Amino acid sequence: MAEAKDYFLGRHYDLEAKKVTDQAVMFDPADLVTHAVILGMTGSGKTGMGVILLEEAALQGTPAIIVDPKGDLTNLLLHFPDQTPQDFEPWIDPDEARRSGKTVAEVAAETSARWQKGHAEWGLTREQRVALQTTVQYTVFTPGSSAGRPVSILSSFAAPQVSWEENREVLREKISSTVTALLGLVGMSDVDPLRSREHILVSNLLEHAWSQGRSLDLVELIMQVQTPPFERLGAFPLDHFFPQKDRMDLAMLLNNFLASPSFQSWVEGDPLDVAAMLYMPDGKPRHSIFYLAHLTDSERMFFVTLLCAAVEAWARLQRGTSTLRAMFYFDEIFGYLPPISNPPSRPILLRMLKQMRAFGLGMVLATQNPVDLDYKALSNTGTWMIGRLQTERDKMRLLEGLQSASGLSDQQAYDRMISGLQKRVFLLHSVHMSKPETFSTRFTLNYLAGPMTRSQIPALQRMAGGLPAASAPAAPAQAPVSSPAAAPMPAAATPTPAATAANGQSPLGGVRYLSTRPAPPVGVEEFFALNEVSPGQALGGLNLPAQTTAEVQGMVYRPALLGQAEVRYLQRKFNLDTTQQVAVVVEQMEGMSPRWEQTVWTPFEDANLFRQPTPNTQFAPLPVWLSDPKRVKALQTDFLDWAYRSATINVRANETLKVYAGPEVSSAEFREMCAQAARALMDAELTKLEAAYEKKLDAVERKVARQKLEVEEQQNEVQQRTMEELGTHGELLLSLFAKRKRSVSSSLTKRRLTSQAKAALEQEREELKQLETELDQLEEMLQKEIKAVQDRWAQTVNDIREIPQAAQKKDVFMRWFGVVWMPYYLVKVGTEVREAPAFKPPQR
């Protein structure tokens, strides 16, 4: 790797003048070895800040592992050297264009012009955009899905390729993290590795196998849970520590996961090999983006923990360095490194923050809210990039965190700077800098299109060349519904069908197809579904016996009835304003009307429906029930009525906090909304409580101060009486040798006065002690009440229920209804012709 250059982050921002200056702000990438955190509310420019860091790393050939829970960082693949409108057009949101009263092409042209202008103003060149595209290999990994490159978790259970004896400490930490993640995925959350029998047993099974160089798969692991290869665990016999009946329960729980249809998506794809995900076989650095937006919360936690364990294990096997070897970027870390709870990801992230700098792994963590992060962990973070924050309370908590993490020389100055931050303006605080810096971020080289959906990932990955040819879905051969004409079909995208006989009979075994498309009834729309399954995948779906010769000979369309309605749900009380799509595909008709609930289909997107067929395809005949316009019209009315009657969604509600949200808000996001509301109410109550106690504490503290003066005065009195008594005794002693005698009664009087003074001193001290005890009790009572308030509001966050909401009939709209042609591959198996679906089955 060439000598590292400083990152160009942006230009200095003058807080007093509220403008950007010409002074460039540069950042030494070596400073990332001590890790960094990016903080900023939604709209602050936090995502852009992270993209800039990753762009600069890419330009210098620094590999990166990128965790993308929401899909924002897939934008790292949208680098267009020429910045033509055609580059931007596929990534423009059609709904946004429609709302603005413009076509997608118009918005793409405006976006292209804006990006060209922005790059010119910031001195960003085409050479940099080309370098960004060519210096590193971008890959989008989609664990649990084949939308991008799937990831196999089985490598997490494979025996490591290093000596157990020499690396047992590192490997035991990896085992602990892997087992915690696995148990969390099957529903055993908050597992304590020192207390959980399940965790101890499974960890010992892995250690027993790995120490002998043997790998385990899940089947073998389940078998060993029932019959472990050892007789004791610690000091106890195995059956005393973990009875066989209880072990069977654990085995059944793990087997449920293994038997789940979704399990296959977790064992297909690339192994979780960090070295291979940082560098290509030819040595080219990679930016591996792990897209997790499609996963459930437990699945995300499972995979993040496995990934962190793999990264940690890889790093520990590297030689030490003080330079930046690789970057680990974690976007939206909420829930993975919390200050209080202890999810499976937290211990390993804590270790990584403390230890990875020695191996040259720079960690960058991004989040919206300072309260999401454990400041004790972030005491190991040398650089803070702070954007606009949502509330004054967030700012105060951030200042407290900065003070505890790195110390602040002038907290008031930081307060003023943070308060003056604008959109895309950040405060850069680093232990490597003599003073903080405020700057406006530069324009990103990549186009920021916003979070990507799973359906966009295949096209995105194809653009980057990261999908293998056998698994990459074919490029769309038709024009979308919104397009006026069909696009030409790439020569190699679809197999050319065998020649069709003049009588319309296919030579592939006598199956009758039509070379001319049957026309639907007048007034009935027709659509063509995208052939989104590769020929290899279609052949695999036929489950043919081994050694069977099969060949794709062409493609045929079969007709079906498509209905898709848009349902709007509006309820102001619950802050509900959302729309959902409901779709049906009826392939066969029995009776006068179908049972719509049995024909529900995954809703089609614009990009999956076309107005023209793929060239050189054949057609199955149109059935009678789809040839009758009156019947199709009656079915349309019946479908719309069914869509209205069945239209119900659940609203998440927290009645205690008066917080509501529709299905567009995830469970984690709703919990965060509840947490924010609870924090605000808790802060208000704590302010009143502290004010009430402040008066009592002030009164007692004044009494303590006065009593301390009384004790001090009485101490002086005792000292004075003691000196007088000593003087009187001395005079009496001298008088014994002199002619003039002193009175003994005078000496006794002095002693009596001294004793009285000492007694008074003890009384004053006792009163002081009582007052100090009273002060301590008051402070203890305050802390108890504060904790009670915190616990009570913490409980309210979990007071969540779902309230079903039905749509009104006026809010149900027909989007599409008509004949849909579904594509099938024609597969020749011996002399027989079979049809294999070229579309993905519905997710019901």
Side-chain angles (χ1 to χ4, degrees):
M1 185 185 299
E3 182 179 355
K5 299 178 182 179
D6 287 351
Y7 291 176
F8 174 35
L9 301 184
R11 297 188 183 123
H12 174 72
Y13 183 83
D14 189 331
L15 288 173
E16 298 295 333
K18 295 184 178 180
K19 66 176 184 179
V20 181
T21 70
D22 293 333
Q23 177 185 346
V25 173
M26 310 300 289
F27 181 78
D28 186 351
D31 293 349
L32 286 179
V33 175
T34 57
H35 314 312
V37 59
I38 303 175
L39 290 163
M41 61 181 284
T42 301
S44 64
K46 172 175 60 66
T47 298
M49 180 71 258
V51 168
I52 289 169
L53 277 178
L54 291 165
E55 287 176 348
E56 293 290 333
L59 290 173
Q60 297 196 27
T62 302
I65 296 288
I66 303 163
V67 183
D68 189 12
K70 291 190 174 180
D72 287 307
L73 296 182
T74 48
N75 291 180
L76 289 165
L77 278 72
L78 300 182
H79 29 249
F80 309 132
D82 297 322
Q83 296 187 325
T84 65
Q86 291 75 21
D87 291 331
F88 292 88
E89 186 168 348
W91 312 105
I92 300 298
D93 184 354
D95 290 334
E96 183 178 347
R98 185 174 64 250
R99 288 193 295 268
S100 64
K102 301 174 183 177
T103 65
V104 170
E106 290 172 339
V107 175
E110 293 174 357
T111 304
S112 172
R114 185 169 70 253
W115 238 255
Q116 292 179 33
K117 178 181 178 183
H119 283 195
E121 291 176 347
W122 284 90
L124 304 174
T125 65
R126 184 181 188 279
E127 288 72 18
Q128 288 175 300
R129 296 192 291 272
V130 171
L132 186 67
Q133 190 177 53
T134 58
T135 304
V136 301
Q137 173 67 45
Y138 291 91
T139 306
V140 178
F141 289 96
T142 52
S145 170
S146 60
R149 288 189 74 96
V151 181
S152 172
I153 63 169
L154 290 186
S155 61
S156 301
F157 304 100
Q161 302 300 311
V162 294
S163 168
W164 172 266
E165 294 300 327
E166 296 176 6
N167 301 277
R168 66 172 65 192
E169 181 180 353
V170 177
L171 296 176
R172 278 176 175 151
E173 289 176 352
K174 181 177 181 180
I175 286 174
S176 179
S177 300
T178 301
V179 173
T180 301
L182 176 62
L183 295 179
L185 184 63
V186 298
M188 300 180 64
S189 57
D190 298 328
V191 170
D192 185 343
L194 296 179
R195 294 177 178 271
S196 168
R197 296 183 305 174
E198 293 81 3
H199 195 287
I200 293 171
L201 174 61
V202 179
S203 296
N204 274 274
L205 291 174
L206 281 177
E207 178 169 334
H208 185 271
W210 287 11
S211 63
Q212 299 177 16
R214 294 188 296 104
S215 299
L216 290 180
D217 58 21
L218 278 180
V219 173
E220 181 64 23
L221 183 63
I222 292 171
M223 296 299 103
Q224 290 194 9
V225 164
Q226 299 175 72
T227 310
F230 38 76
E231 297 180 353
R232 305 182 72 87
L233 275 176
F236 291 98
L238 177 65
D239 286 339
H240 289 181
F241 178 81
F242 204 151
Q244 184 178 11
K245 179 180 179 299
D246 296 341
R247 297 201 308 271
M248 186 62 186
D249 292 341
L250 174 59
M252 289 295 295
L253 191 62
L254 294 171
N255 190 67
N256 289 344
F257 172 56
L258 179 64
S260 170
S262 63
F263 173 75
Q264 286 303 315
S265 62
W266 288 98
V267 297
E268 298 172 348
D270 294 15
L272 200 54
D273 182 346
V274 174
M277 290 172 173
L278 290 175
Y279 290 97
M280 298 290 288
D282 61 359
K284 183 177 182 179
R286 299 179 77 174
H287 275 206
S288 294
I289 304 168
F290 292 89
Y291 175 89
L292 309 179
H294 59 292
L295 299 179
T296 65
D297 291 342
S298 61
E299 289 172 338
R300 284 193 198 124
M301 181 62 69
F302 168 66
F303 182 76
V304 165
T305 306
L306 291 185
L307 177 62
C308 289
V311 171
E312 182 189 30
W314 167 84
R316 287 181 177 274
L317 298 178
Q318 308 307 306
R319 299 178 63 180
T321 180
S322 59
T323 60
L324 182 64
R325 172 178 277 136
M327 187 186 297
F328 180 84
Y329 189 98
F330 201 133
D331 195 35
E332 301 297 350
I333 199 170
F334 166 71
Y336 296 95
L337 188 60
I340 299 176
S341 60
N342 193 37
S345 58
R346 185 172 181 266
I348 191 168
L349 284 169
L350 286 173
R351 288 198 307 270
M352 292 174 71
L353 284 169
K354 291 178 181 178
Q355 301 171 9
M356 289 301 98
R357 66 183 63 185
F359 306 102
L361 181 68
M363 299 180 65
V364 181
L365 311 179
T367 189
Q368 297 181 21
N369 198 318
V371 78
D372 297 342
L373 298 173
D374 184 339
Y375 286 122
K376 292 181 181 178
L378 294 181
S379 62
N380 294 284
T381 302
T383 300
W384 297 55
M385 298 177 182
I386 305 164
R388 292 179 64 186
L389 300 177
Q390 189 164 5
T391 66
E392 187 71 16
R393 186 68 175 173
D394 289 341
K395 182 182 70 175
M396 297 310 298
R397 284 175 173 160
L398 173 61
L399 290 172
E400 292 170 4
L402 273 171
Q403 182 67 44
S404 63
S406 57
L408 294 181
S409 57
D410 188 349
Q411 187 166 336
Q412 291 183 347
Y414 274 79
D415 190 339
R416 290 192 299 272
M417 284 189 284
I418 295 174
S419 299
L421 297 177
Q422 303 297 316
K423 185 177 182 180
R424 292 190 294 275
V425 174
F426 285 79
L427 169 64
L428 176 61
H429 166 82
S430 177
V431 296
H432 307 284
M433 299 168 54
S434 58
K435 62 179 182 179
E437 176 86 43
T438 53
F439 68 97
S440 176
T441 55
R442 68 163 173 79
F443 222 85
T444 60
L445 290 167
N446 288 285
Y447 171 49
L448 301 184
M452 294 285 181
T453 63
R454 178 164 51 174
S455 63
Q456 292 176 292
I457 298 300
L460 189 72
Q461 191 65 75
R462 282 196 302 273
M463 186 174 69
L467 278 178
S471 63
Q478 311 102 323
V481 169
S482 57
S483 301
M489 178 71 173
T494 302
T496 302
T500 302
N503 62 0
Q505 195 138 8
S506 168
L508 301 179
V511 180
R512 184 176 182 82
Y513 297 118
L514 307 174
S515 57
T516 302
R517 179 171 85 248
V522 177
V524 175
E525 290 190 280
E526 66 175 344
F527 312 89
F528 297 85
L530 171 68
N531 50 309
E532 54 185 343
V533 173
S534 69
Q537 291 172 321
L539 288 175
L542 291 177
N543 297 318
L544 298 174
Q547 309 303 321
T548 300
T549 301
E551 181 181 5
V552 174
Q553 295 287 323
M555 181 171 284
V556 64
Y557 279 114
R558 283 200 165 277
L561 179 69
L562 165 66
Q564 186 157 327
E566 184 174 279
V567 184
R568 183 183 182 190
Y569 299 88
L570 180 62
Q571 177 56 263
R572 299 191 184 280
K573 174 185 175 181
F574 298 128
N575 193 29
L576 177 65
D577 186 0
T578 188
T579 58
Q580 286 192 342
Q581 304 284 332
V582 56
V584 296
V585 172
V586 183
E587 298 171 288
Q588 295 181 354
M589 176 69 73
E590 295 181 2
M592 294 303 296
S593 180
R595 299 189 64 177
W596 299 108
E597 64 275 8
Q598 296 179 356
T599 64
V600 173
W601 203 269
T602 304
F604 287 87
E605 297 182 2
D606 287 358
N608 291 340
L609 287 179
F610 304 86
R611 293 296 189 185
Q612 297 295 328
T614 299
N616 300 322
T617 52
Q618 301 180 81
F619 300 85
L622 201 66
V624 174
W625 64 275
L626 273 180
S627 304
D628 184 353
K630 292 183 179 180
R631 189 170 185 188
V632 172
K633 184 66 175 177
L635 289 171
Q636 178 175 344
T637 302
D638 190 59
F639 164 71
L640 197 61
D641 183 65
W642 171 82
Y644 158 66
R645 287 184 284 105
S646 61
T648 302
I649 62 172
N650 288 329
V651 173
R652 291 189 176 91
N654 190 315
E655 298 285 3
T656 306
L657 297 172
K658 304 301 181 187
V659 177
Y660 308 94
E664 72 278 5
V665 177
S666 70
S667 176
E669 291 170 340
F670 186 74
R671 286 184 61 83
E672 174 57 18
M673 293 169 60
C674 294
Q676 290 179 359
R679 282 195 295 269
L681 294 170
M682 180 185 70
D683 289 344
E685 185 173 347
L686 288 177
T687 299
K688 292 180 181 179
L689 178 64
E690 290 169 352
Y693 268 91
E694 185 175 0
K695 294 180 181 179
K696 297 178 183 179
L697 290 169
D698 286 345
V700 177
E701 286 173 349
R702 287 194 294 271
K703 289 181 181 180
V704 169
R706 287 197 299 269
Q707 189 61 31
K708 285 181 178 179
L709 291 176
E710 292 290 336
V711 169
E712 185 177 352
E713 290 176 1
Q714 195 59 43
Q715 285 176 335
N716 293 334
E717 178 69 18
V718 168
Q719 291 175 355
Q720 181 179 349
R721 293 298 183 187
T722 301
M723 293 299 296
E724 288 176 357
E725 180 182 353
L726 290 174
T728 302
H729 290 337
E731 289 177 356
L732 178 61
L733 184 61
L734 290 174
S735 70
L736 295 176
F737 302 95
K739 294 179 179 180
R740 184 179 178 184
K741 304 296 183 180
R742 294 286 294 178
S743 172
V744 176
S745 64
S746 176
S747 176
L748 294 174
T749 300
K750 296 298 184 180
R751 176 173 295 178
R752 184 181 71 254
L753 293 174
T754 300
S755 298
Q756 290 175 348
K758 288 182 177 179
L761 174 60
E762 288 303 317
Q763 182 176 353
E764 297 294 346
R765 285 176 172 169
E766 183 61 29
E767 292 179 5
L768 175 60
K769 182 178 180 182
Q770 292 176 357
L771 287 172
E772 288 176 338
T773 300
E774 182 181 351
L775 182 61
D776 290 341
Q777 290 174 343
L778 269 176
E779 290 176 341
E780 184 179 351
M781 290 173 61
L782 172 59
Q783 294 305 316
K784 286 183 178 180
E785 291 199 35
I786 288 176
K787 186 177 185 305
V789 170
Q790 292 172 335
D791 291 343
R792 187 174 71 255
W793 285 110
Q795 287 296 324
T796 63
V797 174
N798 299 320
D799 187 17
I800 298 173
R801 66 189 184 96
E802 292 188 346
I803 303 174
Q805 291 293 307
Q808 297 187 39
K809 197 164 188 176
K810 65 180 182 63
D811 292 330
V812 180
F813 309 93
M814 186 69 75
R815 188 174 186 190
W816 295 316
F817 195 89
V819 174
V820 60
W821 294 95
M822 306 299 292
Y824 291 78
Y825 290 109
L826 294 174
V827 182
K828 184 178 181 181
V829 183
T831 59
E832 180 187 7
V833 175
R834 298 189 187 181
E835 295 178 357
F839 52 87
K840 294 181 180 178
Q843 299 177 3
R844 292 172 178 164

